[in-house]
């Protein structure tokens, strides 16, 4: 049975977006509110395109042959319809204040099978979850928007848990998800963007690439502490001059713990390695820095990051 993502999404959107407006006090839209909503629309556009492709590019038979349960492809389409509803609701809020929401971009997603699609969807959805958690701290002055974001966040987590179950991974690999700053979330999502009719006013940082190891397709067994992670970066892209002999560090952010700093063993120009720290699991985020410790995620974002972040999938 063919599943119409667009039609179903529009029908549901009419049910979910019209009624609450009349019951709420209209509050001013602050600059923080607008920036959080625009980033949310940017990420939801990315996810909607990703999931629509995951439905349209593979058949039921291909999902079955790859080991996914019956109905998995149809549920990928349901997830795409949810993302369309989120886009409509968030865009409607911005438009009600006379603000044009960021339009859809052109993307390049590096998957070529149902399994690689789901692996990528787990990574991208994890970024979206982290962005909603991090953005919620900027919405404290607008309880209406905080409630809207809080109602979307668990749906994103349910989507990710379903995907992870489909590939045989744990649906809940950690006790906490990892909050992300807007800059880090935007940078992680932007690596899949080919072009956009409108870009957000968020800085793009020099890239940090995890070159090995790649996680197994079903994320089992979890990558143990002490496993060597190899990273690559381009020193010529740093925003500040760095003494070539100065020590570099990888700051690893995972769940709600303070960042963990590991000194990089340099293996070549723009290349180095660190071990996976103890008690890091699920999905972590890594940045290259000259600081040996003492910074939180906001400080790393504001002045401590030489390159990154890179997403590190451990379980």
């Amino acid at each position: 049975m063919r599943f119409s993502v667009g039609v179903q999404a529009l029908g549901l959107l009419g049910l979910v977006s019209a009624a609450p407006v009349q019951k709420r006090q209209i509050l001013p839209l602050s600059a923080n509110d607008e920036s959080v909503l625009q980033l949310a629309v940017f990420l939801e556009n990315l996810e909607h395109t990703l999931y629509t492709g995951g439905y349209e590019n593979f058949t039921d038979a291909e999902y079955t042959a790859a080991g996914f349960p019956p109905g998995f492809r149809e549920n990928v389409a349901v997830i795409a319809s949810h993302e369309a509803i989120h886009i409509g609701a968030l865009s409607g809020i911005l438009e009600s204040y006379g603000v044009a929401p960021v339009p859809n971009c052109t993307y390049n997603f590096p998957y070529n099978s149902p399994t690689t699609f789901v692996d990528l969807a787990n990574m991208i959805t994890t970024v979206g979850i982290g962005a909603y958690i991090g953005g919620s701290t900027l919405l404290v002055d607008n309880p209406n928007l905080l409630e809207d974001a809080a109602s979307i966040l668990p749906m994103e987590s349910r989507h990710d848990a379903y995907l992870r179950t489909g590939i045989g991974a744990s649906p809940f690999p950690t006790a906490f998800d990892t909050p992300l700053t807007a800059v880090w979330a935007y940078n992680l999502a932007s690596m899949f963007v080919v072009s956009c009719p409108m870009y957000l006013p968020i800085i793009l940082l020099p890239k940090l690439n995890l070159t090995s190891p790649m996680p197994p397709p079903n994320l089992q067994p979890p990558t143990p502490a002490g496993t060597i992670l190899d990273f690559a970066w381009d020193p010529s892209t740093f925003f500040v001059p760095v003494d070539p002999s100065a020590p570099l560090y990888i700051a690893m952010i995972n769940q709600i713990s303070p960042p963990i700093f590991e000194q990089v063993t340099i293996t070549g120009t723009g290349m180095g390695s660190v071990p996976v720290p103890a008690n890091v699991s699920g999905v972590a985020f890594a940045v290259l820095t000259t600081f040996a410790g003492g910074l939180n995620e906001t400080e790393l974002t504001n002045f401590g990051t030489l390159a990154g972040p890179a997403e590190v999938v451990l379980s």
Side-chain angles (χ1 to χ4, degrees):
M1 177 181 68
R2 296 294 293 175
F3 187 103
S4 175
V5 173
V7 171
Q8 177 149 338
L10 289 173
L12 289 174
L13 180 58
L15 295 177
V16 301
S17 64
V21 175
Q22 298 176 353
K23 298 179 181 178
R24 291 177 169 180
Q25 177 187 2
I26 303 300
L27 299 173
L29 189 72
S30 70
N32 277 342
D33 296 339
E34 181 179 339
S35 65
V36 171
L37 288 173
Q38 289 284 35
L39 177 60
V41 173
F42 177 85
L43 294 171
E44 295 287 357
N45 282 336
L46 177 78
E47 291 184 13
H48 177 251
T49 304
L50 172 69
Y51 284 110
T52 300
Y55 173 74
E56 294 179 345
N57 293 333
F58 306 110
T59 65
D60 290 325
E62 288 174 306
Y63 273 104
T64 299
F68 291 92
F72 191 90
R73 176 172 173 265
E74 297 301 320
N75 281 330
V76 169
V78 173
I79 294 174
S81 76
H82 289 174
E83 308 302 358
I85 293 168
H86 296 165
I87 293 167
L90 295 166
S91 297
I93 294 170
L94 286 166
E95 289 166 346
S96 71
Y97 287 95
V99 178
V102 61
N104 204 28
C105 302
T106 301
Y107 309 101
N108 179 32
F109 295 117
Y111 65 82
N112 56 15
S113 68
T115 299
T116 55
F117 157 70
V118 173
D119 287 342
L120 181 62
N122 170 51
M123 294 180 68
I124 290 177
T125 304
T126 299
V127 172
I129 292 168
Y132 272 108
I133 298 171
S136 65
T137 62
L138 302 177
L139 297 176
V140 292
D141 59 337
N142 194 323
N144 292 345
L145 296 182
L146 185 59
E147 182 179 284
D148 292 336
S151 68
I152 292 175
L153 172 59
M155 293 310 303
E156 298 291 334
S157 296
R158 291 180 186 183
H159 295 162
D160 193 47
Y162 179 77
L163 294 172
R164 292 176 60 88
T165 301
I167 57 173
S170 168
F172 32 72
T174 57
F176 300 95
D177 280 308
T178 304
L180 291 174
T181 63
V183 171
W184 284 13
Y186 187 67
N187 275 262
L188 288 160
S190 291
M191 68 178 65
F192 305 106
V193 172
V194 176
S195 64
C196 280
M198 169 184 166
Y199 292 89
L200 297 181
I202 298 176
I203 189 171
L204 289 177
L205 300 169
K207 296 187 183 303
L208 178 68
N209 298 309
L210 175 67
T211 56
S212 70
M214 294 297 104
N218 64 349
L219 307 183
Q220 296 294 332
T223 303
T227 300
I228 298 301
L229 303 175
D230 295 314
F231 292 94
W233 59 88
D234 182 355
S236 70
T237 63
F238 293 164
F239 293 159
V240 295
V242 177
D243 183 344
S245 64
L248 298 177
Y249 301 86
I250 288 291
M252 193 87 68
I253 288 79
N254 183 238
Q255 304 183 66
I256 59 174
S257 300
I260 300 171
F261 293 76
E262 295 281 350
Q263 185 167 349
V264 176
T265 299
I266 300 298
T267 57
T269 301
M271 296 183 292
S273 62
V274 297
V276 175
N279 302 316
V280 173
S281 59
V283 178
F285 300 92
V287 295
L288 185 70
T289 182
T290 56
F291 289 87
L295 301 186
N296 59 32
E297 184 178 339
T298 299
E299 292 165 335
L300 282 167
T301 299
N302 290 343
F303 60 84
T305 296
L306 286 177
E311 191 166 359
V312 183
V313 181
L314 299 171
S315 61

